[in-house]
Amino acid sequence: MRETDLSRLEEGQQALVTEVREDGAMGRRLRDMGLVRGTPVRCLQVSPLGDPVAYLIRGAVVALRRADSRMIRVEPL
């Protein structure tokens, strides 16, 4: 399948994380949330204005800004 970034998933779509392209504090926070290679992620809901977006990550619902989700590479399922 083709790789894309997390911000491009549509509601209900699932993917596997392939890479986090962010260093520093934000990259560390994303990895601490469980966003590491092979982690399944599901896009649950896009807010009415499009930002933030709710994702299901390892059993927890996490809201991410699109700017941050663009740094996460995924492979759609």
Side-chain angles (χ1 to χ4, degrees):
M1 297 192 124
R2 65 182 195 276
E3 195 174 286
T4 186
D5 63 67
L6 187 60
S7 70
R8 295 182 182 262
L9 292 185
E10 297 177 8
E11 285 187 17
Q13 192 173 9
Q14 297 183 70
L16 293 177
V17 174
T18 59
E19 178 184 13
V20 176
R21 293 183 172 179
E22 179 69 34
D23 293 324
M26 189 55 176
R28 188 172 47 252
R29 288 185 66 187
L30 293 170
R31 285 184 276 282
D32 287 347
M33 282 190 263
L35 288 165
V36 295
R37 179 181 276 285
T39 300
V41 178
R42 177 182 293 179
C43 179
L44 294 179
Q45 186 175 21
V46 178
S47 66
L49 296 177
D51 203 18
V53 178
Y55 299 97
L56 182 63
I57 304 167
R58 296 185 181 254
V61 177
V62 177
L64 293 175
R65 295 178 298 167
R66 284 206 184 264
D68 296 327
S69 62
R70 284 187 189 106
M71 299 298 127
I72 303 162
R73 299 296 294 172
V74 297
E75 186 174 316
L77 298 176

